Amino acid sequence: MARGGSRGGGRGGKSRSGGGGAGGKGRKGDSKKAKVSGRGTTTASSADTKAPKKFGQLSRKERDMMEEYGELVPQDFEEDETDRVGSFRKVVKEADLDYQSALKRDRDLESDGEAEEDEYKLDRPSAFNKLFGLLKKSSKRQDEWKKRKLEEEGLEDMEDEDEVEEEGEDYFAAGQALFVTLTEAERKELIKKHGKGYLQALDGEDDDDEDEDMENGGKEAPAGDDEPESSADEEDVKELAEEEFSDEDSDEEEIFKKSKDNFDRHFSDMVTPLLAPKVAVVELAGAKWKSVSYEHPVLKRVEKFDTDNVEGQRKNEKSKKNKHDLESLMIKQRIQSHWEEVNKSVQEESSKELFTPLQDALVEPINEYRDILFTNRTMQNAKEIRNLYALHALNHVYKTRDRILRNTGKLQHHQQNPNSSDAPEFRDQGFTRPKVLIILPFKNTVVDVVESLISLSGSTQQDNRKRFFDEFDDVEEEEDPKNADRPADFVETFRGNIDDHFRVGIKFTRKTMKLYSDFYSADLILASPLGLKTVIGAEGDKKRDFDFLASVELVIIDQADDMLMQNWDHLETVFEHMNMIPKNAHGCDFSRVRNWSLDGRAKYLRQTLMFSNFLTPEINALFKKYSRNVAGKMKITQGYEHGSIVDVVPLVQQNFNRIETRTLAQADENRFQYFIEHTLPQLRRSAVTQTHTMIFVPSYFDFVRLRNYFTENKYSFAAICEYTSNANVSRARSSFFHGEVSFLLYTERFHFFRRYNIRGTFHLAFYGLPEHPQFYPEMLNLLALPAGKEKSRSKHAAVSGLEDRAMSCTALFTKYDLLKLQRIVGTERASNMCKQEGRDLFVFT
């Protein structure tokens, strides 16, 4: 403020304390006298009294008076010549002086059409000129006008802080924007004088910006989100205006009753009184979901849960035809035109269908806003699934945006054309703007999703596109010779950028897709569990923020099985802080927040889509705990006929030992006791079988426990886990290969991220079955590595050929490992192995 004051005082003495605009203490006294008496202290000259005033020299009040009465002073009140000595003196207000100064600076700085515009306004006083001035203030030159006014007042320093708030309050506060329309004659006159391009600039700041922030009570994006704006075409503005100002569908209840769109029926505020019985089914202990199970030719095993009566659903499911079109699914027209081009990469060349068989089977339940747990994801159908949920997410964003714009237009229309009826009330939004959250494990998948969104949206401009691809796709995809002997799933998962700490907000407007948008002005958020965790923080942290998750209506989790290899607790933390009442308002217009959000019931309408390669207890528990959608949910799984055990190459005896345990809480303790009392002594029985033994440990906590036990008992061993440095990994592999250590502790997470071939393995012990079924044959195939290791093996072999007969494999499991066991030995055999009584050893060769 000190700087602003000095700059204001240096402009020819125009200090704000001068009252009338001239410096000096004398004027200050005259100002006080003028306020008391209203008359001047000096006699006006004859030249001043006789010379007529030009319209441009008049104050704003005098101009309004002249426009109203036709002349400066009505004839009935004209003073006599004798009274002219005591005539009223015009008192110039500060606001009038600022306005005149701004006009003068405009004429001096701009000699083109802007100067002509001011002249036009001063020389032709009329209602049209007054309207023209209002349009000018609301046009793209509004920032320049504001800046000049602040310079006059010496408040330039406050411009950045107040810019967003003032613009939002003037034109977008609470959705009560003011639209000024021109008649056809006035438009033609403007086009004749200034050209058609100038008229388009006067049509508004850009339709994208006018409609992009109605989500948060009309607030502008926070400072720093300064992407370039794009203008709207006249046809788009006209089409939007016609849609907004139509009164045919002003009744929200009628829309809810008549609409066939699942979006309207699921997220409308009209569902609030219908939630109570459905919430009771979800939450109350005595109530249960109504479920039905069936076999689908494409989806395999489907288990469907509903809060309503589902009698006869089995017949309905079998009779459904999986042929859907975009029109019947109520996909927005702007997306329909791009879907076929985007999805052709996953279609067969001869196919003329819009969806693949898998997409056709999934699109209807997804469009019904059901929660879905899909555990049949593969490397082959990953692109199909990604295109489908990108279509659904973008369609949801556009529907939400268009609904808010349409309702805002109706409110504006009612404000301009008030009638006897009350103003309509619309509850069409949440506490914050973000509506879609997509959680992914690595940056390389984010690139694929964003590319699909860009193609589907048909946006002509993507702000910060180069910055995004430089950051997320900065790794050159060159063929790594080390990947030549690695599985295809590893190459696909770890291609490109595999950073797991990221978050980016995306805002959609009519023609623009804005990457790196602030969370509170974004429509869609792409993030990893770790990226969200660092923002949410932990209890007791000074800086925590999770209000942006308050109004999320669609959550998509892709590659959930890969997140098991990261930190599953981060994902649970995200769900714990979702759909909570925000701590701060964040510019929210509470008059338009849906009642079910105000009641804290948003979690009962949130849709959750989870895609995984297989089902695990952690994924199952997360879906069961946080899937409370009253629209219902579906769990899609598959049976395993043979399992991954058929991929084992060497002829080695495989022993599966079942560990008896009463509860899940005791399983870990019982497993540890069984291993040190039975399995480990068998591995150390002789000098031949004790060496070159790898112990595969799925859990890091079990790995630490075993490592401590081996250290305390002074076993000869090496250990490799995901936290081991590269140097120690190389040292441990070398020691194990040359027989310098007898045991190697090896974790599943390390194998997931590195996929090394650990040579020198004679005996393999699975402390627990791996989550990834392909890891079981991969580890067993280490026993059949190619030649080149005979010297090392014969060093520890007593007779020729002993190495083949001495190779062994032991796997421990409990009845709680049923899902893992199914993927390895097959569904039917796994069920028998877990339930069969009187037998705890099962041998496969």
Side-chain angles (χ1 to χ4, degrees):
M1 295 298 296
R3 187 180 64 170
S6 63
R7 293 177 70 178
R11 295 180 180 273
K14 287 189 178 182
S15 174
R16 297 189 67 179
S17 63
K25 295 182 181 180
R27 285 302 303 268
K28 200 170 185 178
D30 294 343
S31 171
K32 292 181 181 179
K33 191 180 293 183
K35 290 180 181 178
V36 176
S37 63
R39 293 181 177 271
T41 56
T42 57
T43 304
S45 62
S46 58
D48 293 334
T49 56
K50 292 181 181 181
K53 292 183 178 180
K54 294 183 179 180
F55 188 85
Q57 297 175 345
L58 300 179
S59 66
R60 184 181 302 175
K61 183 175 181 180
E62 290 171 334
R63 272 182 264 175
D64 294 340
M65 186 181 295
M66 184 172 185
E67 290 174 2
E68 184 175 358
Y69 294 100
E71 51 186 284
L72 182 61
V73 181
Q75 295 290 338
D76 297 340
F77 298 93
E78 188 173 355
E79 297 180 358
D80 296 335
E81 193 71 26
T82 56
D83 296 330
R84 287 192 182 276
V85 177
S87 62
F88 287 97
R89 177 182 177 187
K90 181 185 72 169
V91 179
V92 180
K93 295 182 180 179
E94 186 176 359
D96 297 335
L97 185 62
D98 293 338
Y99 179 76
Q100 293 291 340
S101 300
L103 291 180
K104 183 177 179 182
R105 289 174 182 275
D106 242 6
R107 290 196 300 269
D108 295 336
L109 290 175
E110 301 180 5
S111 59
D112 52 0
E114 294 292 334
E116 296 178 7
E117 176 189 331
D118 294 332
E119 245 179 75
Y120 184 78
K121 183 174 180 180
L122 294 176
D123 294 342
R124 297 196 48 194
S126 66
F128 170 69
N129 287 327
K130 193 173 183 180
L131 177 64
F132 186 80
L134 180 61
L135 284 174
K136 180 175 180 180
K137 286 189 176 182
S138 63
S139 69
K140 289 185 176 180
R141 299 195 55 76
Q142 183 181 5
D143 294 339
E144 188 173 339
W145 278 71
K146 185 189 302 182
K147 182 178 180 181
R148 290 172 181 170
K149 184 172 180 178
L150 290 171
E151 287 178 352
E152 288 293 321
E153 298 178 0
L155 300 176
E156 303 92 335
D157 297 340
M158 299 174 62
E159 180 180 5
D160 292 337
E161 299 176 5
D162 300 336
E163 178 180 1
V164 173
E165 183 178 357
E166 290 177 4
E167 289 181 1
E169 291 176 355
D170 287 343
Y171 296 101
F172 300 113
Q176 301 292 331
L178 179 61
F179 282 161
V180 181
T181 57
L182 299 174
T183 64
E184 189 63 28
E186 292 170 341
R187 293 177 71 87
K188 289 181 179 179
E189 189 172 356
L190 277 176
I191 293 173
K192 182 179 179 181
K193 185 170 183 64
H194 300 287
K196 188 174 181 179
Y198 187 79
L199 182 64
Q200 291 176 350
L202 291 178
D203 278 336
E205 282 188 64
D206 112 4
D207 184 65
D208 291 340
D209 280 338
E210 288 180 3
D211 52 36
E212 69 188 7
D213 352 295
M214 300 305 180
E215 190 77 21
N216 294 320
K219 292 294 182 180
E220 291 285 339
D225 186 22
D226 52 354
E227 292 90 350
E229 310 295 349
S230 57
S231 301
D233 296 333
E234 287 187 54
E235 296 179 0
D236 294 337
V237 177
K238 183 178 179 182
E239 180 182 353
L240 179 62
E242 290 175 355
E243 182 181 6
E244 287 176 348
F245 297 159
S246 62
D247 295 325
E248 297 176 1
D249 57 348
S250 58
D251 192 349
E252 191 78 11
E253 187 173 359
E254 289 299 320
I255 297 177
F256 175 71
K257 291 179 179 179
K258 296 179 180 180
S259 177
K260 297 180 181 179
D261 192 348
N262 293 314
F263 172 83
D264 294 330
R265 299 193 61 82
H266 184 69
F267 292 103
S268 171
D269 194 54
M270 297 296 108
V271 304
T272 304
L274 307 176
L275 283 177
K278 297 182 178 182
V279 172
V281 174
V282 176
E283 292 293 344
L284 296 182
K288 293 183 179 180
W289 292 87
K290 281 74 175 179
S291 63
V292 58
S293 301
Y294 58 93
E295 288 286 337
H296 192 279
V298 178
L299 300 179
K300 306 301 180 185
R301 295 182 175 182
V302 178
E303 194 173 2
K304 195 173 183 179
F305 301 87
D306 281 282
T307 54
D308 298 326
N309 193 355
V310 293
E311 256 183 63
Q313 276 196 9
R314 191 187 302 271
K315 295 182 179 179
N316 295 336
E317 294 296 337
K318 289 184 178 180
S319 61
K320 279 185 179 180
K321 295 181 179 180
N322 289 334
K323 297 296 180 184
H324 300 95
D325 58 86
L326 299 176
E327 291 289 344
S328 63
L329 295 170
M330 300 294 180
I331 305 298
K332 298 295 289 185
Q333 187 63 40
R334 72 190 80 170
I335 304 177
Q336 292 184 24
S337 56
H338 304 288
W339 170 250
E340 190 173 356
E341 181 68 22
V342 172
N343 204 46
K344 71 177 183 180
S345 60
V346 298
Q347 291 274 28
E348 296 181 1
E349 295 182 2
S350 58
S351 176
K352 297 182 180 179
E353 301 294 336
L354 289 173
F355 300 102
T356 64
L358 176 61
Q359 290 174 336
D360 211 46
L362 283 174
V363 67
E364 184 172 356
I366 288 178
N367 195 57
E368 290 174 351
Y369 282 96
R370 293 179 177 270
D371 289 356
I372 295 178
L373 174 58
F374 183 85
T375 61
N376 301 342
R377 182 185 181 276
T378 63
M379 187 174 61
Q380 290 73 28
N381 63 23
K383 182 65 175 177
E384 300 176 49
I385 296 172
R386 190 175 301 123
N387 287 346
L388 185 60
Y389 69 66
L391 170 73
H392 181 60
L394 190 61
N395 190 50
H396 181 80
V397 168
Y398 280 161
K399 284 183 178 180
T400 303
R401 176 179 176 272
D402 291 349
R403 169 58 57 85
I404 294 174
L405 287 176
R406 182 166 59 251
N407 292 340
T408 300
K410 293 174 184 177
L411 293 172
Q412 295 165 354
H413 185 58
H414 179 82
Q415 182 184 4
Q416 292 182 3
N417 303 279
N419 48 38
S420 57
S421 61
D422 296 334
E425 180 182 2
F426 298 108
R427 294 194 174 272
D428 52 10
Q429 53 191 268
F431 295 108
T432 53
R433 176 161 181 161
K435 292 294 179 291
V436 179
L437 174 64
I438 302 179
I439 305 177
L440 302 168
F442 304 112
K443 284 185 175 181
N444 52 18
T445 313
V446 179
V447 175
D448 297 337
V449 174
V450 169
E451 287 177 344
S452 297
L453 291 173
I454 291 174
S455 302
L456 283 172
S457 64
S459 57
T460 58
Q461 179 180 345
Q462 298 88 37
D463 295 342
N464 293 320
R465 178 187 178 116
K466 184 178 183 302
R467 172 188 170 189
F468 171 80
F469 284 103
D470 287 347
E471 179 180 343
F472 282 75
D473 199 25
D474 59 348
V475 179
E476 296 182 1
E477 295 188 6
E478 298 181 356
E479 292 188 2
D480 189 350
K482 296 181 180 179
N483 292 339
D485 58 343
R486 291 180 177 176
D489 65 294
F490 176 86
V491 177
E492 174 64 21
T493 302
F494 294 98
R495 59 181 170 81
N497 195 335
I498 57 171
D499 185 11
D500 63 346
H501 186 198
F502 60 88
R503 52 185 179 269
V504 57
I506 304 177
K507 177 165 59 179
F508 294 91
T509 62
R510 185 173 293 270
K511 295 182 179 180
T512 306
M513 179 175 168
K514 301 183 178 181
L515 299 163
Y516 291 98
S517 179
D518 181 85
F519 275 3
Y520 290 97
S521 61
D523 297 298
L524 184 148
I525 296 175
L526 283 161
S528 64
L530 178 60
L532 292 173
K533 171 66 176 179
T534 53
V535 178
I536 295 173
E539 195 69 31
D541 291 350
K542 292 183 179 179
K543 291 184 179 181
R544 301 187 65 195
D545 187 13
F546 47 84
D547 288 350
F548 59 89
L549 300 173
S551 298
V552 171
E553 297 171 353
L554 173 59
V555 181
I556 300 172
I557 304 171
D558 197 3
Q559 297 173 252
D561 52 300
D562 290 342
M563 298 177 191
L564 289 168
M565 298 293 105
Q566 296 175 342
N567 193 327
W568 190 253
D569 290 340
H570 293 342
L571 190 60
E572 292 184 342
T573 300
V574 173
F575 274 89
E576 288 172 0
H577 292 83
M578 205 174 295
N579 297 121
M580 298 176 65
I581 303 296
K583 295 183 178 180
N584 300 311
H586 301 286
C588 174
D589 179 8
F590 290 94
S591 66
R592 295 184 64 174
V593 176
R594 299 184 184 96
N595 284 309
W596 46 262
S597 285
L598 296 172
D599 295 342
R601 293 182 174 181
K603 60 185 177 182
Y604 298 111
L605 290 101
R606 182 190 71 229
Q607 183 185 25
T608 303
L609 303 178
M610 294 184 68
F611 301 96
S612 173
N613 288 20
F614 47 81
L615 182 64
T616 69
E618 293 83 0
I619 294 175
N620 202 18
L622 182 74
F623 186 75
K624 184 177 181 180
K625 182 178 181 180
Y626 295 104
S627 174
R628 302 174 181 177
N629 190 352
V630 295
K633 57 185 178 181
M634 292 177 63
K635 183 187 294 185
I636 302 170
T637 58
Q638 63 177 325
Y640 299 90
E641 184 177 358
H642 301 294
S644 62
I645 196 171
V646 297
D647 297 326
V648 175
V649 175
L651 297 176
V652 56
Q653 180 175 304
Q654 305 164 50
N655 301 322
F656 286 81
N657 296 330
R658 187 179 66 190
I659 303 172
E660 296 296 335
T661 179
R662 293 183 178 180
T663 64
L664 180 61
Q666 298 175 353
D668 290 339
E669 181 63 27
N670 293 337
R671 187 192 305 271
F672 178 73
Q673 293 298 329
Y674 185 92
F675 180 80
I676 63 176
E677 293 175 4
H678 298 87
T679 306
L680 193 57
Q682 292 178 3
L683 296 175
R684 302 182 64 231
R685 185 166 299 169
S686 66
V688 175
T689 58
Q690 120 178 38
T691 57
H692 293 274
T693 301
M694 176 190 289
I695 303 175
F696 186 92
V697 188
S699 170
Y700 177 74
F701 300 104
D702 291 332
F703 168 81
V704 173
R705 190 174 190 179
L706 287 176
R707 185 183 61 187
N708 294 341
Y709 178 82
F710 277 38
T711 302
E712 292 173 1
N713 291 274
K714 299 181 179 179
Y715 282 93
S716 174
F717 78 100
I720 298 177
C721 70
E722 55 271 25
Y723 303 110
T724 307
S725 63
N726 292 334
N728 289 335
V729 169
S730 299
R731 190 177 299 110
R733 292 178 64 187
S734 177
S735 300
F736 180 71
F737 173 72
H738 292 97
E740 298 173 2
V741 294
S742 300
F743 298 97
L744 175 66
L745 299 180
Y746 189 79
T747 64
E748 181 178 6
R749 289 179 66 183
F750 179 85
H751 189 69
F752 172 79
F753 286 106
R754 302 292 185 90
R755 209 68 68 92
Y756 285 166
N757 291 328
I758 307 298
R759 301 180 183 274
T761 304
F762 282 11
H763 313 284
L764 186 61
F766 286 93
Y767 185 82
L769 298 178
E771 291 284 3
H772 293 72
Q774 69 271 24
F775 288 179
Y776 182 82
E778 282 181 14
M779 300 308 299
L780 275 171
N781 291 340
L782 295 178
L783 305 177
L785 290 178
K789 307 297 174 285
E790 288 81 356
K791 183 177 179 180
S792 175
R793 293 190 177 185
S794 60
K795 177 181 177 181
H796 306 281
V799 293
S800 176
L802 180 61
E803 55 196 74
D804 292 332
R805 295 194 300 270
M807 289 190 298
S808 63
C809 174
T810 302
L812 308 182
F813 73 96
T814 68
K815 61 182 179 180
Y816 299 107
D817 296 327
L818 176 62
L819 295 176
K820 299 179 182 179
L821 195 61
Q822 285 179 352
R823 296 190 288 270
I824 295 175
V825 301
T827 302
E828 187 175 350
R829 282 181 289 191
S831 180
N832 294 332
M833 292 169 65
C834 290
K835 295 179 180 179
Q836 191 170 359
E837 297 181 359
R839 183 181 176 187
D840 57 3
L841 176 62
F842 304 88
V843 180
F844 292 82
T845 56

